[in-house]
Amino acid sequence: MAFWFNSDRERGLVFAEAFARDLPDLPFAMDISEYDPDEIRYILTWTAPPDLYRFRNLEVVFSIGAGVDQFKPGTLPPGAILVRMVEDGIVRMMQEYVTLAVLALHRKLKAYIGQQADAAWLPLPVRQAAQQRIGILGLGMLAQAVMERLKPFGFPLAAWSRSERQVDGVDCYHGSDGLTPFLARTDILICLLPLTQGTHGLLDARLFATLPAGAALVHVGRGAQLDHDALIAALDEGHLSGAFIDVTEPEPLPPEHGFWRHPKIILTPHVASVTQPETAARAVIDNIKRHRDGLDPIGLVDRDRGY
Ligand code: OXD
Protein backbone atom coordinates (compact mmCIF):
# COMPACT_ATOMS: atom_id res chain seq x y z
CA MET A 1 0.00 0.00 0.00
CA ALA A 2 1.52 3.41 -0.99
CA PHE A 3 0.73 7.11 -1.56
CA TRP A 4 1.78 8.81 -4.81
CA PHE A 5 2.50 12.56 -4.67
CA ASN A 6 2.11 13.64 -8.31
CA SER A 7 2.96 17.33 -8.08
CA ASP A 8 5.89 19.70 -7.66
CA ARG A 9 8.99 18.54 -5.80
CA GLU A 10 9.19 21.57 -3.54
CA ARG A 11 5.79 20.94 -1.97
CA GLY A 12 6.42 17.18 -2.17
CA LEU A 13 9.35 17.47 0.22
CA VAL A 14 7.15 19.19 2.80
CA PHE A 15 4.52 16.46 2.40
CA ALA A 16 7.18 13.73 2.63
CA GLU A 17 8.37 15.05 5.97
CA ALA A 18 4.83 15.21 7.38
CA PHE A 19 3.99 11.70 6.13
CA ALA A 20 7.21 10.26 7.62
CA ARG A 21 6.30 11.84 10.95
CA ASP A 22 2.53 11.23 11.13
CA LEU A 23 1.85 8.27 8.83
CA PRO A 24 5.11 6.27 8.93
CA ASP A 25 3.49 2.98 7.84
CA LEU A 26 2.41 4.42 4.45
CA PRO A 27 5.21 4.55 1.84
CA PHE A 28 5.33 8.01 0.20
CA ALA A 29 6.22 7.96 -3.51
CA MET A 30 7.41 10.92 -5.52
CA ASP A 31 9.10 8.76 -8.17
CA ILE A 32 6.40 6.31 -9.22
CA SER A 33 8.78 4.21 -11.33
CA GLU A 34 10.09 2.62 -8.13
CA TYR A 35 6.65 1.18 -7.28
CA ASP A 36 4.48 -1.64 -8.49
CA PRO A 37 1.26 0.10 -9.71
CA ASP A 38 -0.81 -2.37 -7.63
CA GLU A 39 0.68 -0.89 -4.45
CA ILE A 40 -0.75 2.60 -5.06
CA ARG A 41 -3.89 3.26 -2.99
CA TYR A 42 -3.82 7.07 -2.85
CA ILE A 43 -2.83 9.74 -5.37
CA LEU A 44 -2.48 13.48 -4.83
CA THR A 45 -2.54 15.26 -8.18
CA TRP A 46 -3.91 18.31 -10.04
CA THR A 47 -5.21 16.38 -13.08
CA ALA A 48 -5.80 12.71 -13.79
CA PRO A 49 -2.59 11.19 -15.20
CA PRO A 50 -3.35 9.51 -18.57
CA ASP A 51 -2.47 6.05 -17.28
CA LEU A 52 -4.50 6.24 -14.06
CA TYR A 53 -6.41 3.04 -14.88
CA ARG A 54 -3.24 0.96 -14.43
CA PHE A 55 -3.47 1.60 -10.65
CA ARG A 56 -5.95 -1.17 -10.10
CA ASN A 57 -6.08 -0.81 -6.31
CA LEU A 58 -6.51 2.95 -6.26
CA GLU A 59 -8.96 4.01 -3.54
CA VAL A 60 -8.70 7.80 -3.26
CA VAL A 61 -7.73 10.56 -5.71
CA PHE A 62 -6.90 13.76 -3.80
CA SER A 63 -7.05 17.00 -5.79
CA ILE A 64 -4.17 19.28 -4.85
CA GLY A 65 -6.50 22.24 -5.39
CA ALA A 66 -9.90 23.24 -4.07
CA GLY A 67 -11.41 22.82 -7.55
CA VAL A 68 -12.10 19.46 -9.18
CA ASP A 69 -13.48 20.50 -12.59
CA GLN A 70 -10.11 19.61 -14.16
CA PHE A 71 -10.95 15.89 -13.61
CA LYS A 72 -12.92 15.26 -16.79
CA PRO A 73 -15.69 12.62 -16.71
CA GLY A 74 -14.32 9.17 -17.51
CA THR A 75 -10.74 9.94 -16.47
CA LEU A 76 -11.05 8.47 -12.96
CA PRO A 77 -11.44 4.75 -12.23
CA PRO A 78 -15.06 4.15 -11.11
CA GLY A 79 -13.94 2.50 -7.85
CA ALA A 80 -11.90 5.48 -6.62
CA ILE A 81 -13.37 8.38 -4.67
CA LEU A 82 -12.41 11.98 -5.43
CA VAL A 83 -11.56 14.44 -2.64
CA ARG A 84 -10.99 18.15 -3.11
CA MET A 85 -8.48 20.09 -1.04
CA VAL A 86 -9.97 21.62 2.09
CA GLU A 87 -7.15 23.08 4.13
CA ASP A 88 -6.55 26.14 6.31
CA GLY A 89 -4.10 27.79 3.89
CA ILE A 90 -6.58 27.86 1.00
CA VAL A 91 -9.35 29.16 3.26
CA ARG A 92 -7.22 31.91 4.79
CA MET A 93 -5.91 33.09 1.42
CA MET A 94 -9.40 33.19 -0.09
CA GLN A 95 -10.64 35.21 2.90
CA GLU A 96 -7.77 37.67 2.40
CA TYR A 97 -8.27 37.99 -1.35
CA VAL A 98 -12.03 38.51 -1.31
CA THR A 99 -11.78 41.00 1.56
CA LEU A 100 -9.12 42.89 -0.42
CA ALA A 101 -11.30 42.89 -3.55
CA VAL A 102 -14.51 43.93 -1.76
CA LEU A 103 -12.79 46.77 0.08
CA ALA A 104 -11.00 47.91 -3.10
CA LEU A 105 -14.31 48.07 -4.97
CA HIS A 106 -16.17 49.60 -2.00
CA ARG A 107 -13.54 52.38 -1.60
CA LYS A 108 -12.98 52.88 -5.39
CA LEU A 109 -9.29 51.99 -5.29
CA LYS A 110 -8.90 51.58 -9.07
CA ALA A 111 -10.30 55.08 -9.69
CA TYR A 112 -7.86 56.58 -7.17
CA ILE A 113 -4.93 54.72 -8.78
CA GLY A 114 -6.00 56.28 -12.11
CA GLN A 115 -6.31 59.72 -10.51
CA GLN A 116 -2.87 59.39 -8.93
CA ALA A 117 -1.36 58.71 -12.36
CA ASP A 118 -2.99 61.98 -13.53
CA ALA A 119 -1.96 63.90 -10.38
CA ALA A 120 -5.70 64.53 -9.74
CA TRP A 121 -6.62 65.26 -6.08
CA LEU A 122 -10.32 64.48 -6.27
CA PRO A 123 -12.36 62.87 -3.46
CA LEU A 124 -15.11 60.60 -4.85
CA PRO A 125 -18.47 59.96 -3.17
CA VAL A 126 -18.39 56.93 -0.84
CA ARG A 127 -21.24 54.71 0.30
CA GLN A 128 -21.34 53.56 3.89
CA ALA A 129 -20.92 49.80 4.44
CA ALA A 130 -24.53 49.41 5.57
CA GLN A 131 -25.61 50.56 2.10
CA GLN A 132 -23.18 48.30 0.20
CA ARG A 133 -25.00 45.00 -0.26
CA ILE A 134 -22.67 42.04 -0.78
CA GLY A 135 -23.90 38.85 -2.47
CA ILE A 136 -21.97 35.61 -2.81
CA LEU A 137 -22.75 33.05 -5.48
CA GLY A 138 -22.02 29.78 -3.69
CA LEU A 139 -22.49 28.71 -0.12
CA GLY A 140 -19.78 26.11 0.30
CA MET A 141 -17.12 26.09 2.97
CA LEU A 142 -14.97 28.77 1.27
CA ALA A 143 -17.95 31.08 0.74
CA GLN A 144 -18.98 30.73 4.39
CA ALA A 145 -15.43 31.45 5.56
CA VAL A 146 -15.32 34.56 3.36
CA MET A 147 -18.63 35.80 4.78
CA GLU A 148 -17.33 35.39 8.33
CA ARG A 149 -14.45 37.74 7.43
CA LEU A 150 -16.78 40.30 5.82
CA LYS A 151 -19.31 40.37 8.69
CA PRO A 152 -17.43 42.83 10.96
CA PHE A 153 -17.46 45.54 8.25
CA GLY A 154 -21.25 45.77 8.49
CA PHE A 155 -22.09 45.04 4.85
CA PRO A 156 -25.55 43.47 4.39
CA LEU A 157 -24.70 39.91 3.31
CA ALA A 158 -26.63 37.51 1.09
CA ALA A 159 -25.75 34.28 -0.62
CA TRP A 160 -27.21 32.12 -3.35
CA SER A 161 -26.86 28.36 -3.64
CA ARG A 162 -28.41 25.71 -5.86
CA SER A 163 -30.21 23.98 -3.01
CA GLU A 164 -31.61 25.52 0.16
CA ARG A 165 -29.11 26.41 2.94
CA GLN A 166 -29.26 28.61 6.04
CA VAL A 167 -26.36 30.61 7.46
CA ASP A 168 -26.60 32.91 10.49
CA GLY A 169 -26.51 36.60 9.61
CA VAL A 170 -26.78 35.96 5.86
CA ASP A 171 -29.90 36.28 3.67
CA CYS A 172 -29.98 32.97 1.84
CA TYR A 173 -31.54 32.54 -1.61
CA HIS A 174 -31.61 29.33 -3.61
CA GLY A 175 -32.55 27.66 -6.87
CA SER A 176 -33.38 29.28 -10.19
CA ASP A 177 -36.30 31.21 -8.66
CA GLY A 178 -34.02 32.72 -6.03
CA LEU A 179 -31.36 33.96 -8.44
CA THR A 180 -33.14 37.06 -9.80
CA PRO A 181 -34.15 38.54 -6.40
CA PHE A 182 -30.66 37.74 -5.07
CA LEU A 183 -28.97 39.59 -7.96
CA ALA A 184 -31.42 42.50 -7.81
CA ARG A 185 -30.33 43.27 -4.18
CA THR A 186 -26.58 42.82 -4.76
CA ASP A 187 -24.15 45.74 -5.17
CA ILE A 188 -20.94 43.70 -5.03
CA LEU A 189 -21.31 40.21 -6.47
CA ILE A 190 -18.71 37.58 -5.53
CA CYS A 191 -18.59 34.41 -7.62
CA LEU A 192 -17.23 31.46 -5.67
CA LEU A 193 -19.09 28.72 -7.51
CA PRO A 194 -17.52 25.49 -8.74
CA LEU A 195 -17.45 24.98 -12.52
CA THR A 196 -20.25 22.64 -13.57
CA GLN A 197 -22.53 22.43 -16.62
CA GLY A 198 -24.97 24.61 -14.72
CA THR A 199 -22.45 27.38 -13.93
CA HIS A 200 -20.58 27.44 -17.27
CA GLY A 201 -21.13 30.92 -18.77
CA LEU A 202 -23.37 31.98 -15.86
CA LEU A 203 -21.79 35.46 -15.57
CA ASP A 204 -23.27 36.78 -18.81
CA ALA A 205 -25.03 39.89 -20.14
CA ARG A 206 -28.41 38.86 -18.71
CA LEU A 207 -27.00 38.29 -15.25
CA PHE A 208 -25.16 41.64 -15.30
CA ALA A 209 -28.36 43.42 -16.42
CA THR A 210 -30.18 41.98 -13.38
CA LEU A 211 -27.69 43.57 -10.96
CA PRO A 212 -28.51 47.13 -9.86
CA ALA A 213 -26.85 49.99 -11.75
CA GLY A 214 -23.35 50.64 -10.39
CA ALA A 215 -22.83 47.07 -9.13
CA ALA A 216 -19.39 45.43 -9.21
CA LEU A 217 -18.02 41.91 -9.63
CA VAL A 218 -15.40 39.85 -7.78
CA HIS A 219 -14.65 36.68 -9.74
CA VAL A 220 -12.80 33.89 -7.94
CA GLY A 221 -14.77 30.92 -9.29
CA ARG A 222 -13.60 29.54 -12.63
CA GLY A 223 -12.71 31.35 -15.84
CA ALA A 224 -15.27 29.55 -18.00
CA GLN A 225 -18.11 30.99 -15.90
CA LEU A 226 -17.46 34.53 -17.20
CA ASP A 227 -18.45 36.00 -20.57
CA HIS A 228 -15.56 38.45 -21.09
CA ASP A 229 -17.25 40.52 -23.80
CA ALA A 230 -20.41 40.87 -21.70
CA LEU A 231 -18.37 42.11 -18.74
CA ILE A 232 -16.49 44.68 -20.83
CA ALA A 233 -19.78 45.87 -22.39
CA ALA A 234 -21.47 46.23 -18.97
CA LEU A 235 -18.46 48.19 -17.64
CA ASP A 236 -18.17 50.41 -20.73
CA GLU A 237 -21.90 51.20 -20.71
CA GLY A 238 -21.52 52.21 -17.07
CA HIS A 239 -24.05 49.64 -15.79
CA LEU A 240 -21.28 47.95 -13.78
CA SER A 241 -18.77 50.13 -11.93
CA GLY A 242 -15.82 47.76 -11.54
CA ALA A 243 -14.51 44.21 -11.47
CA PHE A 244 -11.80 42.34 -9.62
CA ILE A 245 -10.93 39.24 -11.65
CA ASP A 246 -8.65 36.36 -10.61
CA VAL A 247 -9.74 33.59 -13.01
CA THR A 248 -10.15 33.70 -16.78
CA GLU A 249 -10.55 31.38 -19.74
CA PRO A 250 -7.94 30.97 -21.11
CA GLU A 251 -5.22 31.39 -18.52
CA PRO A 252 -3.00 33.26 -19.05
CA LEU A 253 -4.91 35.84 -21.08
CA PRO A 254 -3.28 36.87 -24.37
CA PRO A 255 -1.41 40.23 -24.17
CA GLU A 256 -3.96 42.01 -26.41
CA HIS A 257 -6.96 40.99 -24.23
CA GLY A 258 -9.21 43.87 -23.16
CA PHE A 259 -9.02 43.05 -19.44
CA TRP A 260 -5.32 43.96 -19.10
CA ARG A 261 -5.65 47.68 -19.57
CA HIS A 262 -9.33 48.22 -18.73
CA PRO A 263 -9.70 51.24 -16.40
CA LYS A 264 -12.36 49.51 -14.30
CA ILE A 265 -10.78 46.05 -13.99
CA ILE A 266 -8.18 44.79 -11.54
CA LEU A 267 -6.77 41.52 -12.86
CA THR A 268 -4.65 39.00 -10.96
CA PRO A 269 -3.16 35.74 -12.36
CA HIS A 270 -5.21 33.06 -10.51
CA VAL A 271 -3.52 33.67 -7.19
CA ALA A 272 -6.49 34.27 -4.88
CA SER A 273 -5.82 31.08 -3.02
CA VAL A 274 -2.98 28.57 -3.31
CA THR A 275 -2.60 25.24 -1.54
CA GLN A 276 -0.07 25.58 1.28
CA PRO A 277 1.96 22.38 1.72
CA GLU A 278 2.26 22.43 5.52
CA THR A 279 -1.48 22.73 6.17
CA ALA A 280 -2.43 20.66 3.12
CA ALA A 281 -0.25 17.73 4.25
CA ARG A 282 -2.03 17.85 7.63
CA ALA A 283 -5.43 17.80 5.88
CA VAL A 284 -4.52 14.89 3.58
CA ILE A 285 -3.05 12.82 6.44
CA ASP A 286 -6.21 13.39 8.51
CA ASN A 287 -8.32 12.34 5.53
CA ILE A 288 -6.32 9.16 4.99
CA LYS A 289 -6.87 8.32 8.66
CA ARG A 290 -10.61 9.01 8.26
CA HIS A 291 -10.73 6.82 5.16
CA ARG A 292 -8.92 4.00 6.99
CA ASP A 293 -11.47 4.32 9.82
CA GLY A 294 -14.32 3.95 7.35
CA LEU A 295 -15.35 7.64 7.51
CA ASP A 296 -15.96 9.96 4.54
CA PRO A 297 -12.96 12.22 3.92
CA ILE A 298 -13.50 15.98 4.38
CA GLY A 299 -14.05 17.41 0.88
CA LEU A 300 -15.51 14.23 -0.62
CA VAL A 301 -16.82 15.08 -4.11
CA ASP A 302 -20.18 13.92 -5.39
CA ARG A 303 -18.97 12.86 -8.83
CA ASP A 304 -22.45 13.12 -10.41
CA ARG A 305 -22.92 16.67 -9.15
CA GLY A 306 -19.31 17.63 -9.98
CA TYR A 307 -18.44 19.30 -6.63
C1 OXD B 1 -7.85 25.60 -6.83
C2 OXD B 1 -7.46 26.81 -7.54
O1 OXD B 1 -8.74 24.89 -7.28
O2 OXD B 1 -6.33 27.27 -7.39
O3 OXD B 1 -7.26 25.33 -5.78
O4 OXD B 1 -8.27 27.39 -8.27
Side-chain angles (χ1 to χ4, degrees):
M1 178 177 291
F3 177 97
W4 178 24
F5 182 90
N6 183 36
S7 190
D8 60 291
R9 188 169 165 73
E10 203 181 320
R11 287 192 286 188
L13 294 174
V14 178
F15 268 76
E17 201 180 309
F19 270 65
R21 188 183 57 236
D22 297 331
L23 218 47
D25 62 322
L26 183 66
F28 183 89
M30 285 171 71
D31 179 1
I32 194 66
S33 65
E34 294 167 4
Y35 286 80
D36 173 351
D38 284 353
E39 284 182 73
I40 303 298
R41 296 293 158 86
Y42 307 101
I43 292 182
L44 178 73
T45 188
W46 173 242
T47 51
D51 52 356
L52 198 58
Y53 277 79
R54 80 190 165 100
F55 302 102
R56 292 180 305 180
N57 296 322
L58 189 64
E59 292 175 16
V60 187
V61 176
F62 290 101
S63 168
I64 196 157
V68 289
D69 51 284
Q70 68 281 15
F71 293 96
K72 300 299 170 215
T75 57
L76 298 184
I81 58 172
L82 176 62
V83 179
R84 65 198 171 78
M85 185 60 76
V86 179
E87 61 96 4
D88 293 349
I90 287 187
V91 175
R92 187 180 40 74
M93 288 185 74
M94 189 57 84
Q95 289 176 314
E96 286 172 7
Y97 186 96
V98 176
T99 305
L100 170 78
V102 165
L103 293 180
L105 292 165
H106 174 55
R107 298 304 299 265
K108 305 191 164 88
L109 183 66
K110 182 77 178 174
Y112 284 117
I113 291 173
Q115 290 186 182
Q116 182 179 350
D118 297 339
W121 188 276
L122 182 64
L124 300 170
V126 60
R127 264 188 207 177
Q128 294 308 299
Q131 271 75 55
Q132 189 76 276
R133 297 162 297 175
I134 310 290
I136 304 200
L137 284 167
L139 242 180
M141 192 268 307
L142 277 180
Q144 292 191 39
V146 161
M147 282 184 291
E148 275 311 307
R149 272 289 169 283
L150 292 175
K151 271 181 188 167
F153 293 104
F155 301 116
L157 297 175
W160 177 87
S161 53
R162 210 173 70 142
S163 46
E164 190 169 359
R165 312 279 289 269
Q166 294 303 330
V167 176
D168 261 5
V170 177
D171 278 343
C172 293
Y173 296 77
H174 71 276
S176 43
D177 290 352
L179 189 57
T180 300
F182 162 78
L183 293 169
R185 56 69 64 207
T186 292
D187 299 310
I188 298 181
L189 179 69
I190 301 160
C191 178
L192 243 170
L193 289 168
L195 181 64
T196 63
Q197 279 185 352
T199 68
H200 196 280
L202 181 74
L203 303 175
D204 63 2
R206 210 168 50 161
L207 180 142
F208 296 142
T210 313
L211 292 167
L217 173 70
V218 178
H219 189 29
V220 281
R222 280 290 184 256
Q225 291 161 338
L226 175 63
D227 179 337
H228 293 188
D229 292 342
L231 176 64
I232 290 182
L235 290 166
D236 290 349
E237 284 156 12
H239 181 64
L240 294 189
S241 58
F244 216 106
I245 306 292
D246 186 55
V247 287
T248 58
E249 177 69 39
E251 289 179 1
L253 284 180
E256 66 283 2
H257 194 280
F259 282 3
W260 287 110
R261 278 163 283 277
H262 198 285
K264 294 181 179 170
I265 293 180
I266 293 183
L267 178 66
T268 53
H270 201 146
V271 290
S273 180
V274 180
T275 299
Q276 298 302 302
E278 291 80 7
T279 36
R282 177 76 271 139
V284 172
I285 289 168
D286 288 349
N287 263 341
I288 291 175
K289 290 182 176 167
R290 287 179 69 89
H291 179 66
R292 285 177 165 180
D293 289 344
L295 300 170
D296 280 347
I298 309 290
L300 179 65
V301 173
D302 177 332
R303 284 173 60 184
D304 292 330
R305 240 174 27 173
Y307 60 95

